[in-house]
Amino acid sequence: MPVMNIIQAVNDALRLQMRLDPRTVVLGEDVGKFGGVFRATSGLYEEFGGDRVIDTPLAEAGIIGTAIGMALYGLRPVPEIQFGDFIFPAFDQIVNELAKFRYRSGGQYPCPVIIRTPVGGGIRGGHYHSQSPEALFIHTPGLKVIAPSNPYDAKGLLLACLRQNDPVLFMEPKRIYRASKGEVPEGDYTLELGKLAVTRPGTQITLIAWSGMVSIAEEAAAKAEAAGISVEVLDLRSLMPFDIDGILASVKKTGRCVIVHEAPKTCGFGAELIASIQERAMEHLEAPITRVCGFDTPFPYTLEHEYMPNADRVLGAIRQTLEW
Amino acid sequence: MVAVQAQDDLRRVLDDEGRVLPGARVPDVADDVLRNIFDKMTLVRVMDDRMMRLQRQGRLGFYMKSIGEEATHFATAPLRASDWVYPSYREQGAWFYRGYTIKQFVDQLFGNANDPVKGRQMPVHHSANWLNLVSISSPVGTQIPQAVGSAYAAKIMGKDDVSMVYFGEGTSSTGEFHVGMNFAGVWKAPCVFICRNNGWAISVPREKQTAAKTFASKAVGYGMPGIRVDGNDILAVLQVAQEAIDRARAGDGPTLIEALTYRVQGHSSSDDPSVYRDPKEPEIWEKRDPLNRMRNYLTHRGLWDQAWEQGLIDRYNQEITDALAASDATPPPPVETMFDDVYEEMPWHIREQKAWLMAQARTKSPHHHG
């Protein structure tokens, strides 16, 4: 099985689907001859031409607005928003239009637009190249939000997104775009949306993470294990819908839980997870569920290493939860 | 002050009395097409009158009339059935012309169980995918890049369908207008933009939307032709629409049409124009009424008589009465349908919320006029 990084896995999924389905088109800024600023669409222009790998004018509202019209007409557009931080000019098109088309038309107009965008910090990008805006979109009925953490999941989840009929925000962890490597099957496979992965089984505490924070959680779990603490790590993968059964199965077993996310703490997705867990598993909890998150500040430039959750902070939260 | 807009470079075929202007080129439109347009224009006027009265009686939550602007709706008339229309919210004639029925229209206004959009949107936010009339949204201008996307999709897929999109002159101030026009120009998308310049965006006059002399002139910046047309002159509207549709279908790209017209009454049932504009202004425009001008033209052409028009009015009044009675006898959509169509398949959390709601006592609607 070939080893790929996340960029290569995304690229492989796009190429595979475009070969299978002539309705699939890619559009965005610099996605054509250049292959995207992160090279996720590299080689697609050469294989499929400018009609299917479309360099758009520089306007996110136009990228998403036209992608909506393409999808309504019968194409399967996969727009790329160059950085998640640049998605906000398209916020109205995503929140008020894309997410609501099926509902507001009484089911007449499904709108399968799969928006790919890199998210997260750790690349010295300051607050316009580092944000993790998932909570805003999870809070938007009608959208699915997918956040893979590794190449295998990225390919299988992206292919699954491209073969279903709801709009999706597909968030790619840019810090580990190339650093995360793993075996990826060459051919076709899909992973079910809405299912988490237990990336590390354990018994004493559940660690929930997604996207770029899964590797941080893994690192913390390894450190904890060295200290004799058995940690179960859950990679959520799918944020909307999220795998409540998988979460509950783990938390009921361990009785303790720490949630790690890069986005600001207040009203971050961790808050919803805690509410959902305590509603259903209060009697199993041995300690309050804690969070290790980004702060409620804009994402800083020079001090990003202090802003972002790291393994030591997660380990601290694990100890605190166990000692409660 | 009475606003008088520049009349230069304005395409006209008919004068204000409905006579063909000297030297004007008359578009080749078949008699039955003209009669059908007059028929649907009459329906719009009857419908608007009936629905606004219902709204005033407190029986209908909200309504938007289009009196004085009806001719602009029929820029859609030269389209094929396979072409797509992205309406704004004041193009009732386009809906009826393409085949939307009085009953569907009324059912949508009342959001009842037969509403094509299942009671999901306010009145006048129709959707009819079987007619390629795309779901209406309230935030203005969002439909513009979407229409460009559909138009370009047709081009990519090797079809020769055209998209037509409507918006008001106020919407030309939005980012979405710029974005949509710019993408269309770059892509040479087969798209026809109809800017209904009715002078007013709720209470704000067109002078406060742009410093440009005309809205059509904005097309220059996007590398496409901009045409100004007397939007109350049905023949001129049909002529410029046909030209723009032909250009688009031939692969020559998009066109911006500024249809100069006037919003004779309020923006919606919630508006009161007496607060912000001179009452003499609508009087000037009532003399240019598109229905009167078309009636006069049809009369000159031997296609109109009083009995025919009265027959249409009587028939439509009866059909509306019947549709209202049917709507009164139709329940609201079942409560469980609130949870449908968020996604193709209902995810667990919505299933759970649905089950919770179904277990509660039902809440009586303070708005349902059943």
Side-chain angles (χ1 to χ4, degrees):
Chain A
M1 217 183 288
V3 171
M4 292 186 192
N5 62 33
I6 293 175
I7 285 286
Q8 291 164 330
V10 165
N11 185 266
D12 196 40
L14 290 171
R15 179 179 287 102
L16 197 151
Q17 187 65 16
M18 290 181 82
R19 283 176 183 168
L20 279 179
D21 185 353
R23 299 172 304 167
T24 305
V25 300
V26 164
L27 68 157
E29 295 155 6
D30 307 296
V31 300
K33 285 185 182 170
F34 188 52
V37 296
F38 289 101
R39 321 312 310 253
T41 57
S42 184
L44 300 181
Y45 177 88
E46 288 73 11
E47 180 167 349
F48 302 104
D51 274 352
R52 292 184 64 199
V53 186
I54 305 160
D55 271 328
T56 66
L58 207 167
E60 286 77 13
I63 295 169
I64 303 303
T66 55
I68 290 170
M70 290 176 180
L72 297 177
Y73 190 81
L75 289 177
R76 292 288 178 142
V78 191
E80 175 179 300
I81 298 295
Q82 200 163 77
F83 284 83
D85 317 71
F86 303 164
I87 206 166
F88 299 105
F91 199 60
D92 188 44
Q93 286 287 350
I94 297 170
V95 172
N96 268 333
E97 300 292 316
L98 177 61
K100 298 192 170 53
F101 244 104
R102 180 193 289 278
Y103 191 78
R104 82 180 200 211
S105 65
Q108 293 174 23
Y109 283 108
C111 201
V113 173
I114 311 307
I115 304 170
R116 292 181 39 252
T117 195
V119 299
I123 61 152
R124 293 187 65 73
H127 50 238
Y128 297 123
H129 298 80
S130 304
Q131 294 172 58
S132 297
E134 66 267 22
L136 296 166
F137 297 98
I138 297 167
H139 198 61
T140 299
L143 276 186
K144 290 178 178 171
V145 180
I146 306 298
S149 70
N150 62 68
Y152 176 81
D153 287 354
K155 180 176 172 181
L157 290 170
L158 184 53
L159 282 170
C161 289
L162 295 170
R163 293 167 190 181
Q164 54 85 63
N165 298 315
D166 292 313
V168 178
L169 181 66
F170 192 84
M171 307 194 329
E172 298 167 4
K174 75 170 90 72
R175 179 176 56 84
I176 52 169
Y177 251 156
R178 290 188 175 76
S180 175
K181 292 186 181 124
E183 290 193 335
V184 175
E186 266 180 287
D188 202 334
Y189 67 96
T190 59
L191 299 173
E192 189 181 349
L193 304 182
K195 296 290 177 204
L196 60 74
V198 180
T199 59
R200 182 189 193 94
T203 56
Q204 287 176 275
I205 186 164
T206 301
L207 207 45
I208 302 177
W210 54 91
S211 190
M213 285 296 104
V214 174
S215 55
I216 301 296
E218 293 278 3
E219 193 185 331
K223 288 187 175 191
E225 189 165 286
I229 305 167
S230 171
V231 179
E232 181 145 294
V233 178
L234 308 184
D235 177 354
L236 223 44
R237 303 197 290 194
S238 180
L239 308 184
M240 178 51 67
F242 61 98
D243 186 354
I244 187 67
D245 293 337
I247 292 170
L248 290 178
S250 177
V251 172
K252 286 180 180 175
K253 180 176 71 179
T254 62
R256 291 181 167 83
C257 181
V258 172
I259 298 167
V260 189
H261 64 65
E262 239 183 279
K265 186 173 190 177
T266 302
C267 285
F269 189 50
E272 177 58 40
L273 293 173
I274 292 171
S276 296
I277 293 166
Q278 63 85 17
E279 279 170 359
R280 294 168 179 79
M282 191 67 192
E283 70 278 19
H284 297 273
L285 291 174
E286 305 287 346
I289 302 171
T290 57
R291 287 172 283 174
V292 181
C293 305
F295 300 101
D296 292 336
T297 68
F299 196 101
Y301 173 65
T302 306
L303 297 176
E304 77 170 341
H305 54 285
E306 287 287 0
Y307 179 92
M308 290 183 61
N310 60 38
D312 288 337
R313 289 182 198 171
V314 176
L315 183 60
I318 289 170
R319 289 191 190 281
Q320 182 194 332
T321 305
L322 282 165
E323 289 160 12
W324 191 81
Chain B
M1 193 195 80
V2 174
V4 179
Q5 302 193 16
Q7 296 285 319
D8 54 323
D9 301 325
L10 187 70
R11 183 83 69 90
R12 301 183 87 199
V13 176
L14 300 174
D15 67 12
D16 287 354
E17 309 303 323
R19 287 178 300 247
V20 174
L21 286 160
R25 186 165 50 86
V26 177
D28 182 20
V29 186
D31 290 351
D32 62 328
V33 171
L34 286 172
R35 289 204 10 134
N36 189 21
I37 290 171
F38 186 84
D39 177 316
K40 298 303 182 292
M41 216 187 276
T42 303
L43 168 55
V44 173
R45 203 153 282 194
V46 173
M47 181 68 83
D48 278 3
D49 181 53
R50 292 287 298 273
M51 294 307 117
M52 192 58 105
R53 278 192 279 145
L54 280 184
Q55 198 281 332
R56 293 299 184 230
Q57 292 162 12
R59 291 183 61 202
L60 175 61
F62 176 84
Y63 194 70
M64 301 182 94
K65 293 180 75 166
S66 47
I67 186 160
E69 300 178 51
E70 294 96 334
T72 64
H73 303 177
F74 299 95
T76 53
L79 292 171
R80 303 186 308 209
S82 62
D83 293 327
W84 281 46
V85 180
Y86 283 76
S88 173
Y89 41 67
R90 211 189 296 282
E91 291 88 20
Q92 289 92 316
W95 292 81
F96 295 132
Y97 192 85
R98 284 176 86 83
Y100 200 58
T101 68
I102 288 172
K103 185 167 184 311
Q104 286 159 344
F105 192 92
V106 167
D107 285 337
Q108 196 285 327
L109 296 182
F110 286 89
N112 65 36
N114 293 326
D115 170 8
V117 301
K118 305 184 186 173
R120 304 259 171 78
Q121 288 227 71
M122 275 177 79
V124 311
H125 292 61
H126 305 279
S127 181
N129 67 343
W130 64 97
L131 303 171
N132 292 331
L133 279 156
V134 179
S135 164
I136 294 172
S137 167
S138 305
V140 297
T142 51
Q143 73 277 21
I144 300 174
Q146 294 165 9
V148 175
S150 287
Y152 194 45
K155 191 172 167 179
I156 291 169
M157 293 165 83
K159 299 185 182 178
D160 65 350
D161 291 335
V162 170
S163 291
M164 180 177 280
V165 56
Y166 279 89
F167 49 91
E169 85 287 348
T171 296
S172 73
S173 302
T174 65
E176 240 75 349
F177 169 83
H178 166 69
V179 154
M181 295 284 289
N182 190 50
F183 274 56
V186 171
W187 286 347
K188 280 189 110 177
C191 193
V192 179
F193 301 89
I194 312 278
C195 175
R196 269 189 301 91
N197 174 7
N198 68 10
W200 293 90
I202 306 189
S203 69
V204 179
R206 51 89 65 200
E207 295 82 5
K208 292 192 177 180
Q209 301 294 344
T210 185
K213 192 173 171 194
T214 71
F215 291 93
S217 68
K218 291 169 185 280
V220 176
Y222 303 107
M224 69 176 82
I227 301 173
R228 246 171 133 237
V229 65
D230 179 344
N232 289 14
D233 174 344
I234 186 64
L235 290 189
V237 166
L238 292 172
Q239 187 172 64
V240 298
Q242 184 72 63
E243 289 168 9
I245 293 163
D246 289 348
R247 277 193 77 241
R249 210 180 306 284
D252 295 330
T255 304
L256 171 63
I257 295 172
E258 175 189 350
L260 183 61
T261 181
Y262 187 77
R263 203 194 71 212
V264 174
Q265 296 189 356
H267 164 73
S268 73
S269 55
S270 310
D271 184 23
D272 175 11
S274 72
V275 175
Y276 53 79
R277 75 181 183 190
D278 188 327
K280 289 197 181 67
E281 199 178 282
E283 288 171 20
I284 294 169
W285 283 86
E286 279 163 11
K287 291 180 186 132
R288 301 173 188 159
D289 181 77
L291 189 72
N292 289 341
R293 284 166 79 182
M294 186 172 193
R295 183 189 297 111
N296 290 342
Y297 173 71
L298 292 183
T299 304
H300 301 317
R301 201 159 148 170
L303 296 175
W304 180 89
D305 65 73
Q306 178 66 46
W308 174 56
E309 182 171 345
Q310 192 57 51
L312 292 175
I313 293 170
D314 293 345
R315 175 159 66 87
Y316 288 139
N317 264 311
Q318 187 58 51
E319 287 182 29
I320 291 168
T321 299
D322 294 346
L324 288 168
S327 176
D328 282 348
T330 306
V335 59
E336 58 269 28
T337 65
M338 183 166 73
F339 299 94
D340 295 339
D341 304 318
V342 184
Y343 300 93
E344 184 169 53
E345 288 167 31
M346 196 177 291
W348 68 267
H349 65 292
I350 298 182
R351 274 201 314 274
E352 193 179 271
Q353 291 166 24
K354 176 181 172 182
W356 183 87
L357 178 63
M358 298 312 289
Q360 308 302 306
R362 296 278 64 77
T363 307
K364 189 171 165 45
S365 167
H367 305 297
H368 184 58
H369 308 281

